[in-house]
Amino acid sequence: MSECTHDCSTCSQNCGERKPESLIEQPHKMSQIKKVIGIVSGKGGVGKSMVSSLLAVNMNRKGYKTAILDADITGPSIPKAFGVTGRALASEEGIFPAETPTGLSIMSVNLMLENDTDPVVWRGPVIAGVVKQFWTDVIWGDVDFMFVDMPPGTGDVPLTVFQSIPVDGIVVVTSPQELVSMIVGKAVKMAGLMNIPILGIVENMSYAECPDCGKKINLFGQSKLDEVAKQYDLDILGRMPINPKLAAACDKGAIELYAGNWLDNAADKIEKLK
């Protein structure tokens, strides 16, 4: 065996010094993306898209150039929340993201379909490939913070995102039901396997507020958030209520007009990544 030069790219030996080849993809040559935040959960229906949208709006209000990559290919909802319709434009250089009224950049499969109600009936590897293209082929330009709205679970798409995109941290979204420990555990363990830092946890649908007296009502029973956060050594970044006005804003495509401080702590922690 010849003397080791510590340059694994020119060596065929399978030794202990060999470092695993990175699968990280470069973004489009006309893109400069500083920080990428994944919004994840171990199950669906907990509000990842809501949290992704609100965090993006929050960072945009702080004066940062912000973008959302909608990686939930079979259940995209980001364009609807922002009132963005029509199809994405493209040139020989690449694909252009859509822009919301306040200047956020977004890319979603719904911007590439003839009708936003058309189902995406694709197999996992094809879906994962589309998500990767949203990173490599879209001309994002200069972005301070990109939020990746992930599909639920730990399958092809989350694996593709964690392997292909340089994610700087993830926010775990959950709800107050009994299954929360298992749900958070799945997300935490996958992040550990992929060496992705966990910024903290957000509990959605945490409570409802009485419109008359302001009392907080735990519709799903007593929250387990504190004990779960302690179990996995996670920071609690926010507790979001069930808010009919916020839901209506999403339905009307006006989430950028929301008013609420539920995710201020999360935004402050994300800002420190810059």
Side-chain angles (χ1 to χ4, degrees):
M1 180 185 296
S2 59
E3 183 178 353
C4 180
T5 63
H6 302 288
D7 181 5
C8 297
S9 64
T10 62
C11 177
S12 62
Q13 298 296 323
N14 187 21
C15 68
E17 293 291 321
R18 177 174 290 277
K19 297 179 176 62
E21 183 180 354
S22 174
L23 300 176
I24 295 294
E25 298 279 353
Q26 294 298 314
H28 190 279
K29 62 183 180 180
M30 297 170 65
S31 299
Q32 182 69 37
I33 302 164
K34 295 177 182 176
K35 297 296 177 183
V36 180
I37 313 299
I39 311 299
V40 309
S41 179
K43 71 180 293 294
V46 297
K48 291 182 301 298
S49 296
M50 176 80 77
V51 172
S52 298
S53 300
L54 292 179
L55 284 175
V57 169
N58 211 322
M59 298 309 293
N60 188 51
R61 289 177 179 174
K62 285 175 173 283
Y64 297 106
K65 179 59 180 175
T66 310
I68 304 178
L69 189 161
D70 189 354
D72 194 350
I73 301 299
T74 58
S77 55
I78 295 298
K80 172 72 174 176
F82 287 90
V84 174
T85 58
R87 303 180 71 177
L89 301 177
S91 71
E92 292 182 356
E93 293 286 346
I95 305 167
F96 296 98
E99 191 167 287
T100 71
T102 64
L104 275 78
S105 297
I106 64 173
M107 177 51 65
S108 171
V109 74
N110 263 13
L111 301 178
M112 306 183 76
L113 301 176
E114 188 170 345
N115 301 296
D116 60 10
T117 56
D118 290 344
V120 175
V121 189
W122 299 337
R123 294 190 182 276
V126 176
I127 293 174
V130 171
V131 172
K132 188 184 294 187
Q133 284 185 294
F134 283 174
W135 173 255
T136 60
D137 295 1
V138 172
I139 304 172
W140 293 101
D142 291 330
V143 172
D144 294 311
F145 294 97
M146 172 180 283
F147 294 90
V148 182
D149 182 21
M150 304 275 269
T154 55
D156 285 338
V157 172
L159 185 61
T160 295
V161 170
F162 288 154
Q163 288 183 328
S164 305
I165 299 176
V167 178
D168 295 283
I170 65 170
V171 174
V172 181
V173 182
T174 187
S175 57
Q177 289 94 332
E178 285 285 346
L179 290 172
V180 62
S181 181
M182 181 186 71
I183 294 165
V184 172
K186 288 180 181 291
V188 168
K189 288 176 183 177
M190 183 172 191
L193 288 171
M194 306 304 297
N195 295 316
I196 306 293
I198 301 174
L199 302 178
I201 184 170
V202 171
E203 184 177 71
N204 190 29
M205 300 179 284
S206 185
Y207 59 90
E209 193 170 283
C210 175
D212 296 322
C213 67
K215 179 182 178 181
K216 293 182 179 180
I217 305 168
N218 299 320
L219 296 179
F220 296 104
Q222 191 62 37
S223 172
K224 306 292 190 300
L225 185 63
D226 290 307
E227 57 190 72
V228 171
K230 183 177 181 181
Q231 178 183 354
Y232 293 106
D233 194 25
L234 300 176
D235 289 340
I236 297 175
L237 300 179
R239 302 173 192 259
M240 291 182 55
I242 297 173
N243 188 306
K245 292 183 179 179
L246 182 54
C250 288
D251 291 341
K252 294 176 182 178
I255 197 169
E256 289 168 296
L257 303 179
Y258 92 98
N261 60 359
W262 313 296
L263 296 178
D264 284 359
N265 288 340
D268 289 344
K269 185 161 187 177
I270 289 169
E271 186 176 24
K272 292 177 182 177
L273 295 174
K274 66 178 183 176

